[in-house]
Amino acid sequence: MENKVLADIFYEIADFLDIEPTKSSKFEIMAYKKAGLTIETLQEPIEDIYKKYGKKGLMSLPGIGSGLADKIEEFIKTGKIKKYNEFKKKYPIDLRQLTNIEGIGARKAILLYKKLGIRNIADLKRSIEQNKISKLQNFGPKSQDSIKRSIELLEKSKGRILLGVALPLAEQIVEQLKKSNLTDKIEISGSIRRMRETIGDIDILAVSNQSKKLMDFFSELNDVENIIVKGETKTTVWLKAGISCDLRVVKNKSFASALQYFTGNKEHNINIREIAISKNLKLNEYGLFDNKNKFIYCSNENDIYEKLGMQYMPPEMREDRGEIKLAQSHKIPKLVELKDLKGDLHVHTDDSDGENSLEEMAAAAQNNKLEYIAITNHTKSLKIANGLDEKRFSNLFERIDKLNQKIQESANKLILLKSAEVDILKNGTLDLDKKTLDQMDCVIGAVHSYFKMEKNEMTSRIIKAIESSNINILAHPTGRLINERPGYLLDIEKIFEACEKNNVILEINSFPNRLDLNDTNILLASKYNVMFSIDTDSHRAEHLKFLKYGTGTARRGWLAKEKIINSKSLDQLKQIFKK
DNA sequence: GCCGTTTTCGGCCCGACTGTTTTCAGTCG
């Protein structure tokens, strides 16, 4: 059973509840939505949790109490939920699909069903063509038009886009807004600031005393396809890139609280606000207020958290995963920063499937002020990537030696490490002979074939490689590609355990569609005494810049630089690899 | 529906924007 299926049912129940509001349904709706989110973002099948720990296990999940645990149990046992089926019988419509349309919520969807029998988007499109929506009470020509546009956008939208796409896009928009000279302060907020792996929309926050002009400037940018809403403090546009972008303008004195508010996430903010209330304060996007509604000036976010009795919290941690308690007891770790990273241990060249030569990658690394990079080309069985055999590796290592010598004469010191991204074959053995592996400074092991193995088989396969004492780093441990394919079936905690025992380092692959390990797996792995390596998996010189995405992911996993091997000097690193 | 360092009842975040109203409901984040 997929968690998403159950999560969607909970979301839909929440929508159904919204149709006939009662005094308490507002909160029941919130409960279903919160539980839906919990289930959707769970890292293991909810069925497994139920099998292992029963109803109690379900109830230990945030937002799931006795009532909803019963519903989950019912679903696992019978494949359905009575309450949901009753709603479905009364309103046989595709509510999830319809409410996906911007501007249509549950109540409008039901209204459309009752008046026009609309059950899904296809029905809705037909009614728009026949000009029926605009004649409905409470709707008008503008509503019909906006629904029509929303459907078009939905059909074009690719859903959440990669952080690696959204961040550069947001930076480029911010640059243009800065150049307008209409803003005094401007920051990217929202999920980009939290460095989430995928982004649903771009949020930008600005201070301006020419708000109207700024909004005009923003909505007329070249990147904009059309305007969704436009006001003096909030404007939303649809970008040609296929994502929406919000610009919000606040007064200077509200900037800190607005930045806190719009960075989120929502659950984190709700908790923070509740803490404010418990201290007889009120926090909203305009500021912090005392019980007489008197404004309390905060010059930055640090000020706000401090006045609430907490330690400052890096944006990447604000996901309501226990960070608030940590901040209250002043135990927020000092997270790794991009500038802490001294090297990159996963870099390809055109010897296998990279696009740049050894020399070009070395030059790029020097430009990026890296002290060392490991040249990790693919091995022979990965034919599609032009993997190297023992003989070609031997030749490559001679070239690396020569280039290292040459570089030592230049100003920007850099050491190239002899390495490989060795294939972990189907039976768990490595794709190179021991003699060749022994010549390397370090070895990365990775799975690139037979993804569809059974869970136990795949777990043993990888553990065999970890125990071989021939690899130092396990690359992209789960093999997932964001928005493309899930990871292979794996008992991930057994992998972490094996890494701890055998001193094998876990990679945090920074490639934007990998980010593997991801934040939740890093948090899980942190229960074990393991180290991590933030690597780019560069296949081109520009890819070396991806370190920032891996760093963001590590920060989302609460990692301090002490846990990151490539924050260490080369000498320290070699000590670690010797083990 | 959930939840608890004011615990088993009584709270539960809150403001912006829009369209169609003529004072507000619905939607969104």
Side-chain angles (χ1 to χ4, degrees):
Chain A
M1 180 192 81
E2 278 224 32
N3 291 344
K4 181 85 170 74
V5 176
L6 183 57
D8 275 344
I9 289 177
F10 276 17
Y11 290 137
E12 205 167 334
I13 291 176
D15 279 341
F16 278 127
L17 286 168
D18 200 24
I19 295 163
E20 297 157 7
T22 62
K23 243 184 183 171
S24 66
S25 67
K26 192 171 131 198
F27 303 107
E28 199 180 343
I29 291 165
M30 275 167 56
Y32 272 97
K33 282 186 181 165
K34 184 167 186 206
L37 187 69
T38 295
I39 296 165
E40 189 177 5
T41 53
L42 222 50
Q43 289 306 299
E44 61 179 319
I46 194 155
E47 208 170 347
D48 289 2
I49 296 176
Y50 178 66
K51 275 184 194 151
K52 269 192 258 177
Y53 308 109
K55 191 179 162 187
K56 276 208 170 134
L58 299 176
M59 285 175 68
S60 71
L61 301 170
I64 291 171
S66 175
L68 289 179
D70 284 341
K71 298 240 172 357
I72 297 168
E73 189 176 33
E74 182 190 352
F75 187 70
I76 290 172
K77 282 187 176 160
T78 69
K80 52 192 171 197
I81 292 177
K82 211 170 137 223
K83 186 179 178 116
Y84 174 70
N85 286 1
E86 280 166 6
F87 274 128
K88 230 21 191 180
K89 207 184 257 175
K90 193 166 175 193
Y91 304 108
I93 69 172
D94 194 336
L95 202 52
R96 283 294 287 164
Q97 195 191 43
L98 288 168
T99 53
N100 247 339
I101 300 166
E102 177 104 16
I104 292 193
R107 296 181 198 181
K108 279 190 184 167
I110 292 302
L111 203 69
L112 291 169
Y113 169 66
K114 284 183 176 165
K115 298 268 160 116
L116 296 173
I118 290 169
R119 294 172 182 230
N120 49 43
I121 291 186
D123 291 347
L124 181 56
K125 277 162 97 171
R126 218 168 298 128
S127 295
I128 291 170
E129 274 168 35
Q130 294 163 357
N131 199 25
K132 284 182 179 168
I133 307 289
S134 62
K135 298 197 175 77
L136 284 180
Q137 204 180 7
N138 294 323
F139 287 79
K142 278 194 174 173
S143 294
Q144 175 169 297
D145 232 41
S146 121
I147 291 171
K148 182 164 184 263
R149 268 209 329 257
S150 295
I151 294 175
E152 283 165 9
L153 289 181
L154 186 69
E155 287 175 345
K156 252 195 281 179
S157 139
K158 301 164 202 99
R160 299 184 69 87
I161 69 171
L162 297 178
L163 175 65
V165 177
L167 178 55
L169 185 61
E171 284 171 341
Q172 187 199 320
I173 288 170
V174 164
E175 269 319 297
Q176 295 180 70
L177 294 177
K178 273 185 186 166
K179 276 187 198 151
S180 74
N181 286 326
L182 294 166
T183 75
D184 303 320
K185 272 184 195 166
I186 185 159
E187 288 276 351
I188 297 168
S189 57
S191 50
I192 298 184
R193 185 155 179 257
R194 300 199 312 277
M195 299 292 273
R196 253 191 82 166
E197 62 191 33
T198 59
I199 304 299
D201 57 7
I202 295 173
D203 286 306
I204 298 170
L205 178 69
V207 172
S208 172
N209 50 18
Q210 303 174 76
S211 166
K212 203 168 172 306
K213 273 192 186 169
L214 179 64
M215 291 310 196
D216 287 341
F217 184 87
F218 172 62
S219 53
E220 283 160 17
L221 286 177
N222 244 333
D223 307 85
V224 172
E225 185 163 303
N226 60 334
I227 300 166
I228 297 171
V229 294
K230 189 174 168 200
E232 289 218 14
T233 66
K234 176 189 168 179
T235 294
T236 304
V237 298
W238 186 260
L239 299 176
K240 287 172 186 163
I243 188 169
S244 65
C245 180
D246 271 17
L247 175 62
R248 294 169 200 260
V249 175
V250 295
K251 295 213 164 68
N252 190 44
K253 64 171 190 174
S254 298
F255 188 71
S257 51
L259 187 59
Q260 196 284 325
Y261 180 85
F262 290 119
T263 298
N265 77 359
K266 194 174 158 186
E267 308 302 324
H268 173 92
N269 283 353
I270 288 173
N271 274 327
I272 295 292
R273 286 179 167 210
E274 280 171 359
I275 288 168
I277 291 167
S278 76
K279 291 188 180 302
N280 255 325
L281 300 167
K282 188 180 86 175
L283 180 68
N284 58 32
E285 60 262 55
Y286 299 107
L288 189 63
F289 301 87
D290 69 11
N291 58 356
K292 295 194 179 90
N293 224 13
K294 199 175 149 239
F295 179 80
I296 304 169
Y297 180 72
C298 295
S299 61
N300 53 37
E301 286 182 319
N302 193 18
D303 247 17
I304 298 173
Y305 284 104
E306 207 169 80
K307 290 198 166 82
L308 296 177
M310 286 189 251
Q311 199 180 352
Y312 173 76
M313 195 158 342
E316 295 92 335
M317 289 182 76
R318 301 180 199 170
E319 295 281 347
D320 191 29
R321 293 197 277 220
E323 73 281 0
I324 291 176
K325 280 216 168 100
L326 220 57
Q328 286 177 316
S329 49
H330 290 257
K331 283 182 184 154
I332 296 278
K334 185 170 183 334
L335 302 184
V336 61
E337 293 176 45
L338 184 59
K339 66 177 170 52
D340 295 328
L341 301 185
K342 296 185 162 68
D344 187 343
L345 297 169
H346 192 162
V347 175
H348 294 269
T349 66
D350 60 5
D351 294 279
S352 65
D353 60 345
E355 286 177 38
N356 290 105
S357 67
L358 182 65
E359 290 74 16
E360 287 165 344
M361 292 309 283
Q366 285 178 295
N367 277 335
N368 284 301
K369 306 273 183 271
L370 294 176
E371 294 173 21
Y372 51 84
I373 57 172
I375 303 300
T376 55
N377 281 311
H378 289 291
T379 55
K380 61 194 179 208
S381 71
L382 204 60
K383 298 212 161 52
I384 192 166
N386 189 23
L388 281 68
D389 60 11
E390 284 80 356
K391 203 176 153 203
R392 287 178 64 208
F393 268 109
S394 161
N395 172 282
L396 173 61
F397 292 162
E398 281 175 27
R399 286 162 48 215
I400 288 179
D401 280 335
K402 276 185 198 154
L403 187 54
N404 266 333
Q405 277 181 11
K406 199 172 149 196
I407 291 173
Q408 294 327 296
E409 294 156 17
S410 69
N412 274 341
K413 295 278 180 282
L414 171 81
I415 300 284
L416 302 169
L417 299 175
K418 288 177 238 174
S419 184
E421 182 180 6
V422 186
D423 252 59
I424 298 173
L425 302 174
K426 194 182 176 189
N427 63 6
T429 60
L430 300 178
D431 191 27
L432 283 177
D433 65 25
K434 183 137 184 11
K435 193 180 145 221
T436 308
L437 292 173
D438 283 344
Q439 292 171 39
M440 300 185 188
D441 297 298
C442 60
V443 178
I444 294 187
V447 168
H448 292 110
S449 59
Y450 300 100
F451 294 135
K452 301 234 148 112
M453 279 170 109
E454 292 209 3
K455 189 169 176 178
N456 288 337
E457 228 183 331
M458 183 61 98
T459 307
S460 325
R461 170 186 180 183
I462 295 175
I463 288 180
K464 189 172 172 190
I466 292 170
E467 289 176 342
S468 73
S469 73
N470 283 320
I471 67 170
N472 304 103
I473 299 175
L474 180 64
H476 41 75
T478 76
R480 66 93 177 247
L481 293 178
I482 303 172
N483 289 349
E484 290 172 54
R485 65 163 193 239
Y488 18 83
L489 295 174
L490 208 56
D491 190 333
I492 194 84
E493 293 212 52
K494 282 200 176 140
I495 302 290
F496 298 156
E497 209 180 300
C499 284
E500 174 177 348
K501 274 190 197 146
N502 295 280
N503 288 313
V504 168
I505 292 139
L506 288 161
E507 182 180 69
I508 298 170
N509 190 297
S510 307
F511 217 83
N513 68 344
R514 286 198 183 267
L515 298 179
D516 181 9
L517 297 175
N518 68 4
D519 51 355
T520 49
N521 277 324
I522 294 168
L523 286 167
L524 201 58
S526 296
K527 290 198 286 187
Y528 300 82
N529 185 21
V530 286
M531 297 281 286
F532 302 84
S533 179
I534 302 175
D535 301 327
T536 61
D537 203 349
S538 284
H539 283 71
R540 205 192 296 165
E542 303 90 86
H543 291 169
L544 290 171
K545 298 263 185 234
F546 290 165
L547 275 181
K548 67 177 161 194
Y549 304 120
T551 306
T553 304
R555 290 167 64 83
R556 289 177 61 81
W558 302 9
L559 290 181
K561 80 171 188 187
E562 288 70 31
K563 299 295 274 182
I564 311 292
I565 56 160
N566 49 320
S567 74
K568 314 232 177 251
S569 71
L570 189 56
D571 286 343
Q572 289 173 313
L573 199 66
K574 283 186 169 168
Q575 288 298 317
I576 293 171
F577 286 150
K578 261 188 198 157
K579 282 196 222 163

